[in-house]
Coordinates of all heavy atoms in Angstrom, one line a residue:
M17 N 37.5 21.0 -20.7 CA 37.0 21.5 -19.4 C 38.1 21.6 -18.4 O 38.2 22.5 -17.6 CB 35.9 20.5 -18.9 CG 35.2 21.0 -17.7 SD 33.7 20.1 -17.4 CE 34.1 19.4 -15.8
T18 N 39.0 20.6 -18.4 CA 40.1 20.6 -17.4 C 41.0 21.9 -17.5 O 41.4 22.5 -16.6 CB 41.0 19.4 -17.6 OG1 40.2 18.2 -17.4 CG2 42.1 19.3 -16.6
L19 N 41.2 22.3 -18.8 CA 42.1 23.5 -19.0 C 41.4 24.8 -18.5 O 42.0 25.7 -18.0 CB 42.4 23.7 -20.5 CG 43.2 22.6 -21.1 CD1 43.3 22.8 -22.6 CD2 44.6 22.6 -20.5
L20 N 40.1 24.8 -18.6 CA 39.4 26.0 -18.1 C 39.2 26.1 -16.6 O 39.1 27.2 -16.1 CB 38.0 26.1 -18.8 CG 38.0 26.1 -20.3 CD1 36.5 26.0 -20.8 CD2 38.6 27.5 -20.8
M21 N 39.2 25.0 -15.9 CA 38.9 25.0 -14.5 C 40.2 25.1 -13.6 O 40.0 25.4 -12.4 CB 38.1 23.8 -14.1 CG 36.8 23.7 -14.8 SD 35.8 22.2 -14.5 CE 35.5 22.4 -12.7
G22 N 41.3 25.0 -14.2 CA 42.6 25.2 -13.4 C 42.7 24.3 -12.2 O 42.6 23.1 -12.3
G23 N 42.8 25.0 -11.0 CA 43.0 24.2 -9.7 C 41.8 23.3 -9.3 O 42.0 22.3 -8.6
V24 N 40.6 23.6 -9.8 CA 39.5 22.7 -9.5 C 39.7 21.3 -10.1 O 39.4 20.3 -9.5 CB 38.2 23.3 -10.1 CG1 37.0 22.4 -9.9 CG2 37.9 24.7 -9.4
A25 N 40.3 21.2 -11.3 CA 40.6 19.9 -11.9 C 41.5 19.1 -11.0 O 41.3 17.9 -10.9 CB 41.2 20.1 -13.3
D26 N 42.5 19.7 -10.4 CA 43.4 19.0 -9.5 C 42.7 18.4 -8.3 O 42.9 17.3 -7.9 CB 44.6 19.9 -9.0 CG 45.5 20.3 -10.1 OD1 45.6 19.5 -11.1 OD2 46.2 21.4 -10.0
L27 N 41.8 19.2 -7.7 CA 41.0 18.8 -6.6 C 40.1 17.6 -7.0 O 40.0 16.6 -6.3 CB 40.1 19.9 -6.1 CG 40.9 21.0 -5.3 CD1 39.9 22.2 -5.0 CD2 41.5 20.5 -4.1
W28 N 39.5 17.7 -8.2 CA 38.6 16.7 -8.7 C 39.4 15.4 -8.9 O 38.9 14.3 -8.6 CB 38.0 17.1 -10.0 CG 37.0 16.1 -10.6 CD1 37.2 15.2 -11.5 CD2 35.6 15.9 -10.2 NE1 36.1 14.5 -11.8 CE2 35.1 14.9 -10.9 CE3 34.8 16.6 -9.2 CZ2 33.8 14.4 -10.8 CZ3 33.5 16.1 -9.1 CH2 33.0 15.1 -9.9
N29 N 40.6 15.5 -9.5 CA 41.4 14.3 -9.8 C 41.8 13.6 -8.6 O 42.0 12.4 -8.6 CB 42.6 14.6 -10.7 CG 42.1 15.0 -12.1 OD1 41.1 14.5 -12.6 ND2 42.9 15.9 -12.7
R30 N 42.0 14.3 -7.5 CA 42.5 13.7 -6.2 C 41.3 13.1 -5.4 O 41.5 12.3 -4.5 CB 43.2 14.7 -5.4 CG 44.5 15.1 -5.9 CD 45.3 15.9 -4.9 NE 44.4 17.1 -4.6 CZ 44.9 18.3 -4.3 NH1 46.2 18.5 -4.2 NH2 44.1 19.2 -4.0
F31 N 40.1 13.4 -5.7 CA 38.9 12.9 -5.0 C 38.8 11.4 -5.1 O 38.7 10.9 -6.2 CB 37.7 13.6 -5.5 CG 36.5 13.3 -4.6 CD1 36.4 13.8 -3.4 CD2 35.4 12.6 -5.1 CE1 35.2 13.6 -2.6 CE2 34.3 12.3 -4.4 CZ 34.2 12.8 -3.1
D32 N 38.8 10.7 -4.0 CA 38.7 9.3 -4.0 C 37.2 8.9 -3.9 O 36.6 8.9 -2.9 CB 39.5 8.8 -2.7 CG 39.6 7.3 -2.7 OD1 39.4 6.6 -3.8 OD2 39.9 6.7 -1.7
V33 N 36.7 8.5 -5.1 CA 35.3 8.1 -5.1 C 35.2 6.6 -5.1 O 35.8 5.9 -5.9 CB 34.7 8.7 -6.4 CG1 33.2 8.2 -6.6 CG2 34.8 10.2 -6.5
K34 N 34.4 6.1 -4.2 CA 34.2 4.7 -4.1 C 32.7 4.4 -4.1 O 31.9 5.2 -3.6 CB 34.7 4.1 -2.8 CG 36.2 4.3 -2.7 CD 36.7 3.8 -1.4 CE 38.2 4.0 -1.3 NZ 38.8 3.7 0.0
P35 N 32.3 3.4 -4.8 CA 30.8 3.0 -4.8 C 30.4 2.7 -3.4 O 31.1 2.1 -2.6 CB 30.7 1.8 -5.7 CG 32.1 1.3 -5.9 CD 33.0 2.4 -5.5
H36 N 29.1 3.1 -3.1 CA 28.6 2.8 -1.8 C 27.8 1.5 -1.9 O 26.9 1.3 -2.7 CB 27.6 3.9 -1.4 CG 26.8 3.6 -0.1 ND1 27.4 3.5 1.1 CD2 25.5 3.3 0.0 CE1 26.5 3.2 2.0 NE2 25.4 3.0 1.4
A37 N 28.3 0.6 -1.1 CA 27.6 -0.7 -1.0 C 26.6 -0.7 0.2 O 26.9 -0.3 1.3 CB 28.6 -1.9 -0.7
P38 N 25.3 -0.9 -0.1 CA 24.3 -0.9 1.0 C 24.6 -1.9 2.0 O 25.2 -3.0 1.7 CB 23.0 -1.1 0.3 CG 23.3 -1.8 -1.0 CD 24.7 -1.3 -1.4
D39 N 24.2 -1.6 3.2 CA 24.4 -2.6 4.3 C 23.6 -3.8 4.0 O 22.5 -3.8 3.5 CB 24.0 -2.0 5.7 CG 24.8 -0.8 6.1 OD1 26.0 -0.8 5.7 OD2 24.3 0.1 6.8
P40 N 24.1 -5.0 4.4 CA 23.4 -6.2 4.2 C 22.1 -6.2 5.0 O 21.9 -5.5 6.0 CB 24.3 -7.3 4.8 CG 25.5 -6.7 5.2 CD 25.4 -5.2 5.1
K41 N 21.1 -6.9 4.4 CA 19.8 -7.1 5.1 C 19.9 -8.4 5.9 O 20.4 -9.4 5.4 CB 18.7 -7.1 4.1 CG 18.5 -5.9 3.3 CD 18.0 -4.8 4.1 CE 17.8 -3.5 3.3 NZ 17.5 -2.4 4.1
T42 N 19.2 -8.5 7.0 CA 19.2 -9.7 7.8 C 17.8 -10.3 7.8 O 16.8 -9.5 8.0 CB 19.6 -9.4 9.3 OG1 20.9 -8.9 9.3 CG2 19.6 -10.7 10.1
F43 N 17.7 -11.5 7.4 CA 16.4 -12.3 7.4 C 16.5 -13.4 8.4 O 17.6 -14.0 8.5 CB 16.1 -12.8 6.0 CG 16.0 -11.8 5.0 CD1 17.1 -11.3 4.2 CD2 14.8 -11.2 4.7 CE1 17.0 -10.4 3.3 CE2 14.7 -10.2 3.7 CZ 15.8 -9.8 3.0
H44 N 15.5 -13.8 9.0 CA 15.5 -15.0 9.9 C 14.7 -16.1 9.3 O 13.5 -15.9 8.9 CB 14.9 -14.6 11.3 CG 15.0 -15.8 12.2 ND1 16.2 -16.2 12.8 CD2 14.1 -16.7 12.6 CE1 16.0 -17.2 13.6 NE2 14.7 -17.6 13.4
H45 N 15.3 -17.2 9.1 CA 14.6 -18.4 8.6 C 14.5 -19.4 9.7 O 15.5 -19.7 10.4 CB 15.4 -19.0 7.4 CG 14.6 -20.0 6.7 ND1 14.5 -21.3 7.1 CD2 13.9 -20.0 5.5 CE1 13.8 -22.0 6.3 NE2 13.4 -21.2 5.3
P46 N 13.3 -20.0 9.9 CA 13.2 -21.0 11.0 C 14.1 -22.2 11.0 O 14.4 -22.7 12.1 CB 11.7 -21.4 11.0 CG 11.2 -21.0 9.6 CD 12.1 -19.9 9.1
D47 N 14.6 -22.6 9.8 CA 15.4 -23.8 9.8 C 16.9 -23.5 9.8 O 17.6 -24.3 10.4 CB 15.1 -24.5 8.4 CG 13.7 -25.1 8.4 OD1 13.2 -25.4 9.5 OD2 13.2 -25.4 7.3
V48 N 17.3 -22.3 9.3 CA 18.8 -22.1 9.3 C 19.2 -20.8 10.1 O 20.4 -20.5 10.2 CB 19.3 -21.9 7.9 CG1 19.1 -23.2 7.1 CG2 18.7 -20.8 7.1
G49 N 18.2 -20.2 10.7 CA 18.6 -19.0 11.5 C 18.7 -17.7 10.7 O 18.1 -17.6 9.6
D50 N 19.6 -16.8 11.2 CA 19.8 -15.6 10.5 C 20.6 -15.7 9.2 O 21.5 -16.4 9.2 CB 20.4 -14.6 11.4 CG 19.5 -14.1 12.6 OD1 18.3 -14.3 12.4 OD2 20.1 -13.5 13.5
L51 N 20.1 -15.0 8.2 CA 20.8 -14.9 6.9 C 21.1 -13.4 6.7 O 20.3 -12.5 6.8 CB 19.9 -15.3 5.8 CG 19.6 -16.8 5.7 CD1 18.4 -17.1 4.9 CD2 20.8 -17.5 5.1
H52 N 22.4 -13.1 6.5 CA 22.8 -11.7 6.2 C 23.2 -11.7 4.7 O 24.2 -12.2 4.3 CB 24.1 -11.4 7.1 CG 23.8 -11.6 8.5 ND1 23.0 -10.8 9.3 CD2 24.2 -12.6 9.3 CE1 23.0 -11.3 10.5 NE2 23.7 -12.4 10.6
L53 N 22.3 -11.0 4.0 CA 22.4 -11.0 2.5 C 22.7 -9.6 1.9 O 22.0 -8.7 2.4 CB 21.1 -11.6 1.9 CG 20.7 -13.0 2.4 CD1 19.4 -13.4 1.8 CD2 21.8 -14.0 2.1
G54 N 23.6 -9.6 1.0 CA 23.8 -8.4 0.3 C 22.7 -8.2 -0.8 O 21.9 -9.2 -1.0
Y55 N 22.5 -7.0 -1.4 CA 21.5 -6.9 -2.4 C 21.9 -5.8 -3.4 O 22.7 -5.0 -3.1 CB 20.1 -6.6 -1.7 CG 20.1 -5.3 -1.0 CD1 19.5 -4.2 -1.7 CD2 20.5 -5.1 0.3 CE1 19.4 -2.9 -1.0 CE2 20.4 -3.9 0.9 CZ 19.9 -2.8 0.3 OH 19.8 -1.6 0.9
E56 N 21.2 -5.9 -4.5 CA 21.3 -4.9 -5.6 C 19.9 -4.5 -5.9 O 19.0 -5.3 -6.0 CB 21.9 -5.5 -6.8 CG 23.4 -5.8 -6.7 CD 24.2 -4.5 -6.8 OE1 23.8 -3.5 -7.4 OE2 25.4 -4.6 -6.3
S57 N 19.6 -3.2 -6.0 CA 18.3 -2.7 -6.3 C 18.4 -1.9 -7.6 O 19.3 -1.0 -7.7 CB 17.8 -1.8 -5.1 OG 16.6 -1.2 -5.4
M58 N 17.5 -2.2 -8.5 CA 17.6 -1.5 -9.8 C 16.2 -1.0 -10.2 O 15.2 -1.6 -9.9 CB 18.0 -2.6 -10.9 CG 19.4 -3.1 -10.7 SD 19.6 -4.7 -11.4 CE 19.3 -5.8 -10.0
S59 N 16.2 0.2 -10.8 CA 15.0 0.8 -11.3 C 14.5 0.0 -12.5 O 15.3 -0.5 -13.3 CB 15.2 2.2 -11.7 OG 15.6 3.0 -10.6
L60 N 13.2 -0.1 -12.6 CA 12.6 -0.7 -13.7 C 12.2 0.4 -14.7 O 11.6 1.4 -14.4 CB 11.3 -1.5 -13.4 CG 11.5 -2.7 -12.4 CD1 10.2 -3.3 -12.0 CD2 12.4 -3.7 -13.0
E61 N 12.6 0.1 -16.0 CA 12.5 1.2 -17.0 C 11.1 1.7 -17.2 O 11.0 2.9 -17.3 CB 13.1 0.6 -18.3 CG 13.2 1.7 -19.4 CD 13.8 1.1 -20.7 OE1 14.8 0.4 -20.6 OE2 13.2 1.4 -21.7
R62 N 10.2 0.9 -17.1 CA 8.8 1.4 -17.4 C 7.9 1.5 -16.2 O 6.7 1.6 -16.3 CB 8.1 0.4 -18.4 CG 8.8 0.4 -19.7 CD 8.1 -0.4 -20.7 NE 8.8 -0.3 -22.0 CZ 8.9 -1.3 -22.8 NH1 8.4 -2.4 -22.6 NH2 9.6 -1.1 -24.0
S63 N 8.6 1.6 -15.0 CA 7.8 1.7 -13.8 C 8.5 2.7 -12.9 O 9.7 2.6 -12.6 CB 7.7 0.4 -13.1 OG 7.1 0.6 -11.8
Q64 N 7.8 3.8 -12.5 CA 8.4 4.7 -11.6 C 8.3 4.3 -10.1 O 9.1 4.8 -9.3 CB 7.7 6.1 -11.8 CG 7.9 6.7 -13.2 CD 7.1 7.9 -13.3 OE1 6.3 8.4 -12.5 NE2 7.3 8.6 -14.5
K65 N 7.5 3.4 -9.8 CA 7.2 3.0 -8.4 C 7.8 1.7 -8.0 O 7.8 1.3 -6.9 CB 5.7 3.1 -8.1 CG 5.1 4.4 -8.3 CD 3.7 4.4 -8.0 CE 3.1 5.8 -8.1 NZ 1.6 5.8 -7.8
Q66 N 8.3 0.9 -9.0 CA 8.7 -0.4 -8.7 C 10.2 -0.6 -8.9 O 10.8 0.1 -9.8 CB 8.0 -1.5 -9.5 CG 6.5 -1.5 -9.2 CD 5.8 -2.6 -10.0 OE1 6.3 -3.1 -11.0 NE2 4.6 -2.9 -9.6
R67 N 10.8 -1.4 -8.1 CA 12.3 -1.7 -8.3 C 12.5 -3.2 -8.3 O 11.7 -4.0 -7.7 CB 13.1 -1.1 -7.1 CG 12.9 0.4 -7.1 CD 13.8 1.0 -6.0 NE 15.2 0.9 -6.3 CZ 15.9 1.6 -7.1 NH1 15.3 2.5 -7.9 NH2 17.2 1.5 -7.2
F68 N 13.5 -3.7 -8.9 CA 13.9 -5.1 -9.0 C 15.0 -5.3 -8.0 O 16.0 -4.6 -8.1 CB 14.3 -5.5 -10.4 CG 14.7 -6.9 -10.6 CD1 13.8 -7.9 -10.5 CD2 16.0 -7.3 -10.7 CE1 14.1 -9.2 -10.7 CE2 16.4 -8.6 -10.9 CZ 15.4 -9.6 -10.8
V69 N 14.8 -6.1 -7.0 CA 15.8 -6.3 -5.9 C 16.3 -7.8 -6.0 O 15.5 -8.7 -6.0 CB 15.2 -6.0 -4.5 CG1 16.3 -6.2 -3.5 CG2 14.7 -4.6 -4.5
V70 N 17.6 -7.9 -6.0 CA 18.2 -9.3 -6.0 C 19.1 -9.4 -4.7 O 19.9 -8.5 -4.4 CB 19.2 -9.4 -7.2 CG1 19.9 -10.8 -7.1 CG2 18.4 -9.3 -8.5
F71 N 18.8 -10.4 -3.9 CA 19.6 -10.7 -2.7 C 20.6 -11.8 -3.0 O 20.3 -12.7 -3.8 CB 18.6 -11.1 -1.6 CG 17.7 -10.0 -1.1 CD1 16.5 -9.8 -1.6 CD2 18.2 -9.2 -0.1 CE1 15.7 -8.8 -1.2 CE2 17.4 -8.1 0.3 CZ 16.1 -7.9 -0.2
F72 N 21.7 -11.7 -2.3 CA 22.8 -12.7 -2.6 C 23.6 -12.9 -1.3 O 23.7 -12.0 -0.5 CB 23.7 -12.3 -3.8 CG 24.3 -11.0 -3.6 CD1 25.6 -10.9 -3.0 CD2 23.7 -9.8 -4.0 CE1 26.2 -9.7 -2.8 CE2 24.3 -8.6 -3.8 CZ 25.5 -8.5 -3.2
A73 N 24.3 -14.0 -1.3 CA 25.3 -14.3 -0.2 C 26.6 -14.4 -0.9 O 26.7 -15.0 -2.0 CB 24.9 -15.5 0.6
E74 N 27.7 -13.9 -0.2 CA 29.0 -14.1 -0.8 C 29.4 -15.5 -0.8 O 29.2 -16.3 0.2 CB 30.0 -13.3 0.1 CG 29.8 -11.8 0.1 CD 30.0 -11.2 -1.3 OE1 30.9 -11.7 -2.1 OE2 29.3 -10.3 -1.7
P75 N 29.9 -16.0 -2.0 CA 30.3 -17.4 -2.1 C 31.3 -17.8 -1.0 O 32.2 -17.0 -0.7 CB 30.9 -17.5 -3.5 CG 30.3 -16.4 -4.2 CD 30.1 -15.3 -3.2
G76 N 31.2 -18.9 -0.4 CA 32.1 -19.4 0.7 C 31.7 -18.9 2.1 O 32.3 -19.4 3.0
S77 N 30.7 -18.0 2.2 CA 30.3 -17.5 3.5 C 29.4 -18.5 4.1 O 28.8 -19.4 3.5 CB 29.7 -16.2 3.3 OG 28.4 -16.3 2.7
C78 N 29.2 -18.3 5.4 CA 28.2 -19.2 6.2 C 26.8 -19.0 5.6 O 26.0 -19.9 5.5 CB 28.2 -18.8 7.7 SG 29.7 -19.3 8.5
D79 N 26.5 -17.7 5.2 CA 25.2 -17.4 4.7 C 25.0 -18.1 3.3 O 23.9 -18.6 3.0 CB 25.0 -15.9 4.5 CG 25.0 -15.2 5.8 OD1 24.3 -15.6 6.8 OD2 25.8 -14.2 6.0
H80 N 26.0 -18.2 2.5 CA 25.9 -18.9 1.3 C 25.7 -20.4 1.5 O 24.8 -21.0 0.8 CB 27.3 -18.7 0.5 CG 27.3 -19.3 -0.9 ND1 27.9 -20.4 -1.2 CD2 26.6 -18.9 -2.0 CE1 27.7 -20.7 -2.5 NE2 27.0 -19.8 -3.0
D81 N 26.4 -21.0 2.5 CA 26.1 -22.4 2.9 C 24.7 -22.6 3.3 O 24.1 -23.6 3.0 CB 27.1 -22.8 4.0 CG 28.5 -22.9 3.5 OD1 28.8 -22.9 2.3 OD2 29.4 -22.9 4.4
K82 N 24.1 -21.7 4.0 CA 22.7 -21.8 4.5 C 21.8 -21.8 3.3 O 20.8 -22.5 3.3 CB 22.4 -20.7 5.4 CG 23.1 -20.8 6.8 CD 22.7 -19.6 7.7 CE 23.4 -19.6 9.0 NZ 23.1 -18.4 9.8
L83 N 22.0 -20.9 2.3 CA 21.2 -20.9 1.1 C 21.3 -22.2 0.3 O 20.3 -22.7 -0.2 CB 21.6 -19.7 0.2 CG 21.2 -18.3 0.7 CD1 21.7 -17.2 -0.2 CD2 19.7 -18.2 1.0
I84 N 22.5 -22.8 0.2 CA 22.6 -24.0 -0.4 C 21.9 -25.1 0.3 O 21.2 -26.0 -0.3 CB 24.1 -24.4 -0.6 CG1 24.8 -23.5 -1.6 CG2 24.3 -25.9 -1.0 CD1 26.3 -23.6 -1.6
L85 N 21.9 -25.1 1.6 CA 21.2 -26.1 2.4 C 19.7 -25.9 2.2 O 19.0 -26.9 2.0 CB 21.5 -25.9 3.9 CG 20.8 -26.8 4.9 CD1 21.2 -28.2 4.7 CD2 21.1 -26.3 6.3
L86 N 19.2 -24.7 2.2 CA 17.8 -24.5 1.9 C 17.4 -25.0 0.6 O 16.3 -25.6 0.4 CB 17.4 -23.0 2.1 CG 17.4 -22.5 3.6 CD1 17.3 -21.0 3.6 CD2 16.3 -23.2 4.4
D87 N 18.2 -24.7 -0.4 CA 17.9 -25.2 -1.8 C 17.9 -26.7 -1.9 O 17.0 -27.3 -2.5 CB 19.0 -24.6 -2.8 CG 18.7 -25.0 -4.2 OD1 17.5 -24.7 -4.6 OD2 19.6 -25.5 -4.9
A88 N 18.8 -27.4 -1.2 CA 18.8 -28.8 -1.1 C 17.6 -29.4 -0.5 O 17.0 -30.4 -1.0 CB 20.1 -29.3 -0.4
E89 N 17.1 -28.8 0.6 CA 15.9 -29.2 1.3 C 14.7 -29.0 0.4 O 13.9 -29.9 0.3 CB 15.7 -28.4 2.6 CG 16.6 -28.8 3.7 CD 16.4 -27.9 4.9 OE1 15.4 -27.1 5.0 OE2 17.2 -28.0 5.9
H90 N 14.7 -27.9 -0.3 CA 13.6 -27.6 -1.2 C 13.5 -28.7 -2.3 O 12.4 -29.2 -2.6 CB 13.9 -26.3 -1.9 CG 12.9 -25.8 -2.9 ND1 13.1 -26.0 -4.2 CD2 11.7 -25.2 -2.7 CE1 12.0 -25.5 -4.9 NE2 11.2 -25.0 -4.0
D91 N 14.7 -29.1 -2.8 CA 14.7 -30.2 -3.9 C 14.3 -31.5 -3.3 O 13.6 -32.3 -3.9 CB 16.1 -30.2 -4.5 CG 16.1 -31.0 -5.8 OD1 15.2 -30.8 -6.6 OD2 17.0 -31.9 -5.9
E92 N 14.8 -31.9 -2.1 CA 14.5 -33.2 -1.5 C 13.1 -33.3 -1.2 O 12.5 -34.4 -1.2 CB 15.4 -33.4 -0.2 CG 16.8 -33.6 -0.5 CD 17.6 -33.6 0.8 OE1 17.1 -33.7 1.9 OE2 18.9 -33.6 0.7
L93 N 12.4 -32.2 -0.9 CA 11.0 -32.3 -0.5 C 10.1 -32.4 -1.8 O 8.9 -32.6 -1.7 CB 10.6 -31.1 0.3 CG 11.2 -31.0 1.7 CD1 10.9 -29.6 2.3 CD2 10.7 -32.1 2.6
G94 N 10.7 -32.2 -2.9 CA 9.9 -32.3 -4.2 C 9.0 -31.1 -4.4 O 7.9 -31.3 -4.8
L95 N 9.5 -30.0 -4.0 CA 8.7 -28.8 -4.1 C 9.2 -27.9 -5.3 O 10.4 -27.9 -5.6 CB 8.8 -27.9 -2.8 CG 8.3 -28.6 -1.6 CD1 8.6 -27.7 -0.3 CD2 6.8 -28.9 -1.6
D96 N 8.3 -27.2 -5.9 CA 8.6 -26.2 -6.9 C 7.9 -24.9 -6.5 O 7.0 -24.9 -5.7 CB 8.0 -26.7 -8.3 CG 8.9 -27.7 -9.0 OD1 10.1 -27.6 -8.8 OD2 8.4 -28.5 -9.7
V97 N 8.4 -23.9 -7.1 CA 7.7 -22.6 -6.9 C 6.9 -22.3 -8.2 O 7.4 -22.2 -9.3 CB 8.8 -21.5 -6.7 CG1 8.1 -20.1 -6.6 CG2 9.6 -21.8 -5.5
E98 N 5.6 -22.2 -8.0 CA 4.7 -21.8 -9.1 C 3.9 -20.6 -8.7 O 3.3 -20.6 -7.7 CB 3.8 -23.0 -9.4 CG 4.5 -24.2 -10.0 CD 3.5 -25.3 -10.2 OE1 2.2 -25.1 -10.2 OE2 3.9 -26.5 -10.5
E99 N 4.0 -19.6 -9.5 CA 3.3 -18.3 -9.3 C 3.6 -17.8 -7.9 O 2.7 -17.3 -7.2 CB 1.8 -18.5 -9.5 CG 1.4 -18.9 -10.9 CD -0.1 -19.2 -11.1 OE1 -0.9 -18.8 -10.2 OE2 -0.4 -19.7 -12.1
G100 N 4.8 -17.9 -7.5 CA 5.2 -17.3 -6.2 C 4.9 -18.2 -5.0 O 5.1 -17.8 -3.9
R101 N 4.4 -19.4 -5.2 CA 4.0 -20.2 -4.1 C 4.6 -21.6 -4.2 O 4.9 -22.1 -5.3 CB 2.5 -20.5 -4.1 CG 1.7 -19.2 -3.9 CD 0.2 -19.5 -3.8 NE -0.5 -18.3 -3.9 CZ -1.8 -18.2 -4.3 NH1 -2.4 -19.3 -4.6 NH2 -2.4 -17.1 -4.3
L102 N 4.9 -22.2 -3.0 CA 5.5 -23.5 -3.1 C 4.4 -24.5 -3.4 O 3.3 -24.4 -2.9 CB 6.1 -23.9 -1.7 CG 7.4 -23.3 -1.3 CD1 7.8 -23.6 0.1 CD2 8.5 -23.7 -2.3
S103 N 4.7 -25.5 -4.2 CA 3.8 -26.5 -4.5 C 4.5 -27.9 -4.7 O 5.7 -27.9 -5.0 CB 3.0 -26.2 -5.8 OG 3.9 -26.1 -6.9
R104 N 3.8 -29.0 -4.6 CA 4.4 -30.3 -4.8 C 4.8 -30.4 -6.3 O 4.0 -30.1 -7.2 CB 3.5 -31.4 -4.4 CG 3.3 -31.5 -2.9 CD 4.4 -32.3 -2.3 NE 4.3 -32.2 -0.9 CZ 5.3 -32.4 -0.1 NH1 6.5 -32.7 -0.6 NH2 5.2 -32.3 1.2
R105 N 6.0 -31.0 -6.5 CA 6.5 -31.2 -7.9 C 5.6 -32.3 -8.5 O 5.4 -33.3 -7.9 CB 7.9 -31.6 -7.9 CG 8.5 -31.7 -9.3 CD 10.0 -32.0 -9.3 NE 10.7 -30.9 -8.6 CZ 11.6 -31.1 -7.6 NH1 11.9 -32.3 -7.2 NH2 12.1 -30.0 -7.0
R106 N 5.2 -32.1 -9.7 CA 4.4 -33.1 -10.4 C 5.4 -34.3 -10.9 O 6.5 -34.0 -11.3 CB 3.7 -32.5 -11.6 CG 2.7 -31.5 -11.2 CD 2.0 -31.0 -12.4 NE 1.0 -30.0 -12.0 CZ 1.1 -28.7 -12.0 NH1 2.3 -28.2 -12.5 NH2 0.2 -27.9 -11.6
S107 N 4.9 -35.5 -10.8 CA 5.7 -36.6 -11.2 C 5.9 -36.6 -12.8 O 5.1 -36.1 -13.5 CB 5.1 -37.9 -10.8 OG 3.9 -38.1 -11.4
A108 N 7.0 -37.2 -13.2 CA 7.3 -37.2 -14.7 C 6.7 -38.3 -15.4 O 6.9 -38.5 -16.6 CB 8.9 -37.2 -14.8
D109 N 5.8 -39.1 -14.8 CA 5.1 -40.2 -15.5 C 4.3 -39.7 -16.7 O 3.5 -39.0 -16.7 CB 4.2 -41.0 -14.6 CG 4.8 -41.3 -13.2 OD1 6.0 -41.6 -13.1 OD2 4.0 -41.2 -12.2

């Protein structure tokens, strides 16, 4: 293809293509304040209307520290997530 296109190939090779990173989303949590989280959104193979979205904080950032703090509080309170809801952790007795 490069041989057939001549000058177009030179233009194509010089084109600086960079992946577009979506702007971070901001969430407000009553205990730690604003969280600025990056995210990845992926199509689900068997669903045309649903997407799988993963939010994350850059390691070492203030937002990452806030997520760690929230996770620690969650553990100290003895809470688990069951069926998308917080619930008291059952004792191991």
Side-chain angles (χ1 to χ4, degrees):
M17 184 167 123
T18 302
L19 295 173
L20 297 174
M21 297 179 65
V24 175
D26 291 335
L27 291 172
W28 183 262
N29 289 331
R30 287 188 306 212
F31 187 69
D32 187 17
V33 179
K34 295 179 183 173
H36 171 70
D39 293 332
K41 299 288 184 191
T42 301
F43 299 91
H44 183 78
H45 190 281
D47 293 336
V48 296
D50 288 344
L51 290 160
H52 307 286
L53 304 176
Y55 67 97
E56 290 283 335
S57 176
M58 297 154 263
S59 299
L60 297 175
E61 186 175 317
R62 295 190 176 139
S63 173
Q64 296 176 354
K65 296 180 181 180
Q66 295 180 346
R67 297 186 66 78
F68 181 71
V69 181
V70 176
F71 291 93
F72 59 89
E74 292 297 326
S77 69
C78 292
D79 297 309
H80 187 253
D81 293 344
K82 290 177 184 180
L83 289 178
I84 291 172
L85 178 64
L86 289 171
D87 184 51
E89 287 179 7
H90 179 264
D91 192 46
E92 287 173 11
L93 293 173
L95 299 174
D96 279 327
V97 177
E98 293 180 11
E99 297 178 12
R101 299 185 190 156
L102 283 177
S103 63
R104 289 278 172 202
R105 186 174 301 129
R106 295 184 180 100
S107 63
D109 314 321

